[in-house]
Amino acid sequence: MISLPRSLLLSPILLLCTAIQAAPQSCADKERAILGQLEEARAHGNEGRTHGLEKALRAVREHCTEEGLRQERQADYEAVQAEVQERQADLREAQQGGDPGKIEKRTRKLEEAVRELEALERQ
């Protein structure tokens, strides 16, 4: 039976603790990012993208709140965390079955989910 490295089992728990403490992206950061993309779209004459970015900029300026961003990030994080837990259960099931192909596939899927969780944690 192939065993999952302990670090993969503990990673989601450790990431949750650090993600809660991580500095959240602000509405001002979001606005600056859109302004940068808007400048680039204008420089390249991309009218469709310019229009879409102008619309997004208006929405950020009118509706963005720090609390709303925090709630969105928390919901995203919880969804990915649930996926990691599901992948861990799938891998345990595959390990009990002993099929090396399934174990490898489910290990890869778990690693992908953990990487996604880590990416959210870095934001």
Side-chain angles (χ1 to χ4, degrees), residues 1 4 8 20 41 58 83 97 100-101 104 108 111 115-116:
M1 178 167 116
L4 184 65
L8 279 180
I20 292 171
R58 281 192 303 275
E83 181 181 350
E104 182 183 336
R108 276 194 321 272
E111 289 169 350
R115 280 193 300 273
E116 187 176 345

Side-chain angles (χ1 to χ4, degrees), residues 55-75:
K55 184 177 178 181
L57 184 59
R58 281 192 303 275
V60 166
R61 288 178 173 165
E62 293 173 12
H63 304 290
C64 186
T65 65
E66 300 306 318
E67 178 61 19
L69 284 176
R70 188 195 66 73
Q71 289 175 356
E72 285 177 26
R73 279 189 301 278
Q74 185 64 32

Side-chain angles (χ1 to χ4, degrees), residues 2-117:
I2 298 174
S3 65
L4 184 65
R6 189 170 183 191
S7 62
L8 279 180
L9 292 173
L10 295 176
S11 291
I13 296 165
L14 296 173
L15 288 173
L16 177 60
C17 295
T18 56
I20 292 171
Q21 297 172 355
Q25 180 184 13
S26 68
C27 291
D29 290 339
K30 203 170 184 178
E31 184 175 336
R32 275 191 298 276
I34 293 171
L35 285 169
Q37 292 176 30
L38 185 57
E39 184 177 312
E40 187 176 319
R42 286 179 178 153
H44 289 95
N46 189 336
E47 291 181 29
R49 181 146 172 80
T50 298
H51 177 71
L53 288 166
E54 287 171 344
K55 184 177 178 181
L57 184 59
R58 281 192 303 275
V60 166
R61 288 178 173 165
E62 293 173 12
H63 304 290
C64 186
T65 65
E66 300 306 318
E67 178 61 19
L69 284 176
R70 188 195 66 73
Q71 289 175 356
E72 285 177 26
R73 279 189 301 278
Q74 185 64 32
D76 291 345
Y77 188 84
E78 289 171 2
V80 175
Q81 184 183 28
E83 181 181 350
V84 167
Q85 291 172 352
E86 182 180 331
R87 300 290 185 202
Q88 288 172 332
D90 290 346
L91 178 59
R92 282 191 297 271
E93 183 181 307
Q95 288 172 331
Q96 289 173 352
D99 181 341
K102 283 186 178 181
I103 292 169
E104 182 183 336
K105 179 180 177 182
R106 291 188 177 160
T107 298
R108 276 194 321 272
K109 287 186 174 281
L110 175 58
E111 289 169 350
E112 289 171 13
V114 168
R115 280 193 300 273
E116 187 176 345
L117 196 60

